Amino acid sequence: MCGIVGIVGTKPVNRSIYDALIVLQHRGQDAAGIMTDDNGTLCQRKDNGLVQDVFQQSHMLALAGKIGIGHVRYPTAGMSSSDEAQPFYVNSPYGICLGHNGNLTNTEELQALLVKQDKRHLNTGSDTEALLNVFAHELQRQGNGSLVPEAVFNAVRGVHERCNGGYAVIAMIMGHGIVAFRDPHGIRPIILGKREAGGEVEHIIASESVALDALGFDIVRDIAPGEAIFIEQDGTLHSQQCSEQRGYTPCIFEYVYFARPDSIIDRISVYKSRMRMGESLAEKIVREQPNHDIDVVIPIPDSSRTSALSVAQSLGVKYREGFIKNRYIGRTFIMPGQEQRRKSVKRKLNAIDLEFRDKVVLLVDDSIVRGTTSQQIIEMAREAGARKVYFASASPPVRFPNVFGIDMPVSRELVAFNRTEEEVSAYIGADWLIYQDLRDLIRAVRYDNGEIKDFDTSCFSGEYVTGGITTDYLRRIEIGRSDEAKQAREAARRRNGGGDKGGKESGPPPGVG
C-alpha cells in the first residue's frame, strides 16, 4: 500500500506536496519522493525513510515548479532499497514521472514484452517501472506531434488493455501536465479536488481525501474505475472513460485498516464505516454470549478505536484506553519480517495496569493478520492483571493472500489459514475470540453509497474480483514474498553495499507498487 499525490498549481507546489505526503504517511513509511516540473526542468528528491527525514530545507528549495507529484512507499515485497523509491522516471517520450499505489498481477509477462517487443530497458523488478514503460510506450505510439488529451486517453486505454491488477496512478508529463487513472475495478482509491487561488483554480489528485482537507482543497469527486483525468499546465481539466467498468469494487481493507478515519473514499466515510463495524460486532457478541461478563472494552490503538467505542456503547459497558502508544514506532502490520514485527510491539505499546487489574477485558482490534501482535498484546493484558482476556476482530478471519497491493501474500503466515476460530483463539492466547461476519462488514461499509454493491474482499473470501489469479500465481508470489525471502533479499542487498541495481535477478519479485 502506498500514498500518491499530484498538484497542478498557480504557485510553487513543493510545500503543498510535502504537506500532503505527511498526511498520507500512514500509507507508507519505507520511502518517499517528490518530482516537480520547473518550466521543463525535472527537479527530484527521493530516498528511503519518512517524509520528514527524506526532505530537508535544501531539497525543498531545489524542488521548484508549479506542478509536481509525490509518493510514500510501503513495499509489498519487503525491500528497502532507495532504487525502488517512487516516483519513477523515463525520458521518452516527453519525459514521464509516475507513482502508483497497488499491484499488477501480470508483471512478469509485461516485463518480458517490454524488453523483447517494445524494446524498452528495465532497471528493476518493480511493477511500477513496468507500468510506467507500458504507459510511455502507448503514449509514444500516438505520434510525436503536439500532445492532445485524446492521445493521453488512448495511451491509458492501452495500459488498461495490457495491465491486470489493482492500481491508482498519477503521472507527470514534462511540459504538459498531470494524468491520473484508476484500474477498471476501482480497487485502489484516488480522489480529485480543487481550490481557488487568486481567482485561478488549482487541482489536486491524491489517495485519500485527508490530503485535500489538510491543504484546503474541496472534494470534486472520486476518479471512477477505468476513468482518466488529464490536467494541463494551465489548469484545464479533461476526463474520459478509458475502459469499461468491470465492476465498482474498492478494497474493503482500506476501510478496515489502511485509510485514516477522517477520510472519505468513494463517498463512504471511513469513520462511520468503523462505527457500524463496531455496532454489528456488538450484535454478534450479544447473539453468541447473551450473558457475557465483559467489564471493559479496550481498543488496540489506533485504527480500532472507532469500532471499539461503538462496541462498548452498544453493549452498555465501559470504554477505556488501556494501552499507551509510542507514536515514533511505525505500523507493525507493514514492517518487513516477523521478528521485526515481534520486537516492535512492546516498544510501541505499554499497558495501564489499573484498567486491566482483576477485570474481564474485551480487546478490540481492526483485524488479525499474522497473530503476532494479538498474541503479545494479550500477554501484556494478562501481565497487567486482567482476570480474563477476550479478543474481538472488527473484520472476518484473514485467510487468503491479497494480490492487489497489501502485504498478505503468504497463506501459511496468516494465523487464520487452515485454522478454526477456536484454534486461532488458542494460538493467540485469548479466553474467547469473536470475528466480524463478512456479510456484516460489507453492509457496514457500503451503507453510505448505494452505487457500490460489492467490494474486493479477497483476503477474507479468497475471491479475486479481477479473475485470473491462479494457484500457480499464488505459489510464485508465496515463494517470492515470504518473510524468509524478504530477509534473504535484504541480507543480499547489505552484502552488496546497500545497492540494488540488478534488474530482475537481484531485484524484488513482481509487485512492489
Side-chain angles (χ1 to χ4, degrees), residues 369-426:
V369 182
R370 293 169 175 87
T372 307
T373 301
S374 305
Q375 193 177 61
Q376 290 188 268
I377 287 173
I378 289 170
E379 288 176 7
M380 292 169 66
R382 294 196 189 283
E383 290 170 2
R387 188 155 48 90
K388 293 181 185 177
V389 182
Y390 302 151
F391 204 95
S393 168
S395 62
V398 177
R399 289 197 167 106
F400 303 95
N402 182 288
V403 300
F404 302 128
I406 300 177
D407 194 15
M408 299 177 186
V410 182
S411 296
R412 58 185 168 82
E413 292 177 4
L414 303 174
V415 68
F417 178 69
N418 279 344
R419 286 191 177 99
T420 65
E421 293 184 18
E422 292 75 17
E423 289 170 335
V424 174
S425 180

Side-chain angles (χ1 to χ4, degrees), residues 64-78:
K66 299 177 182 178
I67 176 173
I69 64 175
H71 187 273
V72 286
R73 177 176 182 264
Y74 142 58
T76 55

Side-chain angles (χ1 to χ4, degrees), residues 44 115 150 159 167 175 182 187 193 226 254 261 309 331 334 356 401 437 463 478 489:
Q44 64 174 313
V115 173
E150 191 60 34
V159 172
Y167 50 88
R182 190 179 190 185
I187 297 172
E254 290 278 357
L309 179 59
R331 301 178 86 173
I334 63 177
F356 292 90
D437 290 335
E463 298 174 3
E478 180 164 337
R489 286 194 298 274

Side-chain angles (χ1 to χ4, degrees), residues 105-413:
T105 57
N106 63 334
T107 304
E108 290 182 334
E109 174 189 338
L110 286 175
Q111 290 170 331
L113 289 173
L114 283 164
V115 173
K116 296 176 183 178
Q117 179 176 297
D118 298 345
K119 308 302 181 186
R120 301 193 72 90
H121 176 73
L122 301 176
N123 288 311
T124 72
S126 170
D127 62 340
T128 306
E129 187 185 24
L131 197 157
L132 167 60
N133 277 275
V134 169
F135 178 63
H137 177 77
E138 294 299 322
L139 195 58
Q140 195 154 25
R141 290 180 58 198
Q142 307 307 312
N144 293 321
S146 60
L147 185 66
V148 296
E150 191 60 34
V152 174
F153 295 138
N154 285 337
V156 174
R157 286 189 186 91
V159 172
H160 288 320
E161 289 172 2
R162 298 178 65 177
C163 296
N164 301 328
Y167 50 88
V169 177
I170 299 179
M172 180 171 66
I173 305 174
M174 298 296 294
H176 294 88
I178 282 180
V179 59
F181 53 93
R182 190 179 190 185
D183 71 82
H185 295 271
I187 297 172
R188 301 266 67 90
I190 186 167
I191 192 166
L192 170 68
K194 70 176 182 179
R195 70 182 176 191
E196 296 286 336
E200 297 181 271
V201 176
E202 298 182 317
H203 290 96
I204 185 173
I205 300 167
S207 292
E208 293 185 34
S209 64
V210 288
L212 283 60
D213 298 338
L215 299 177
F217 283 84
D218 296 322
I219 293 174
V220 175
R221 60 183 175 83
D222 299 278
I223 296 178
E227 183 189 17
I229 300 283
F230 178 46
I231 308 170
E232 297 186 66
Q233 283 188 313
D234 64 2
T236 303
L237 186 146
H238 311 269
S239 66
Q240 193 170 117
Q241 193 68 30
C242 295
S243 170
E244 288 187 6
Q245 289 190 15
R246 301 169 194 166
Y248 198 160
T249 52
C251 175
I252 206 164
F253 213 73
E254 290 278 357
Y255 302 91
V256 169
Y257 175 80
F258 269 106
R260 274 182 36 158
D262 44 343
S263 281
I264 296 173
I265 296 176
D266 291 305
R267 297 191 292 113
I268 297 172
S269 164
V270 175
Y271 177 77
K272 289 184 178 179
S273 294
R274 291 177 183 171
M275 284 186 64
R276 291 189 292 269
M277 290 177 206
E279 291 168 0
S280 59
L281 188 57
E283 291 172 1
K284 185 175 180 182
I285 290 171
V286 171
R287 287 197 308 271
E288 296 199 1
Q289 295 284 351
N291 299 314
H292 68 79
D293 55 350
I294 299 167
D295 295 317
V296 62
V297 174
I298 293 177
I300 312 303
D302 282 320
S303 49
S304 65
R305 277 198 171 102
T306 308
S307 295
L309 179 59
S310 189
V311 168
Q313 290 173 336
S314 298
L315 293 178
V317 301
K318 293 178 181 178
Y319 170 89
R320 291 290 186 268
E321 293 284 342
F323 294 102
I324 299 301
K325 181 180 178 182
N326 180 348
R327 301 191 179 280
Y328 304 98
I329 302 292
R331 301 178 86 173
T332 54
F333 171 81
I334 63 177
M335 286 184 174
Q338 185 80 330
E339 187 60 30
Q340 188 173 349
R341 286 187 292 269
R342 186 182 300 277
K343 289 179 179 178
S344 72
V345 175
K346 289 198 174 182
R347 295 200 305 266
K348 181 177 180 178
L349 297 176
N350 188 48
I352 302 175
D353 289 9
L354 62 88
E355 297 296 353
F356 292 90
R357 194 173 304 126
D358 298 324
K359 295 177 182 177
V360 177
V361 177
L362 174 66
L363 301 179
V364 179
D365 208 350
D366 51 76
S367 58
I368 306 172
V369 182
R370 293 169 175 87
T372 307
T373 301
S374 305
Q375 193 177 61
Q376 290 188 268
I377 287 173
I378 289 170
E379 288 176 7
M380 292 169 66
R382 294 196 189 283
E383 290 170 2
R387 188 155 48 90
K388 293 181 185 177
V389 182
Y390 302 151
F391 204 95
S393 168
S395 62
V398 177
R399 289 197 167 106
F400 303 95
N402 182 288
V403 300
F404 302 128
I406 300 177
D407 194 15
M408 299 177 186
V410 182
S411 296
R412 58 185 168 82
E413 292 177 4

Side-chain angles (χ1 to χ4, degrees), residues 76-77 103 409-410 473 477-483 485-486 489 509-511:
T76 55
N103 182 52
V410 182
Y473 176 81
I477 66 168
E478 180 164 337
I479 292 171
R481 295 191 196 170
S482 66
D483 277 342
K486 294 174 186 177
R489 286 194 298 274

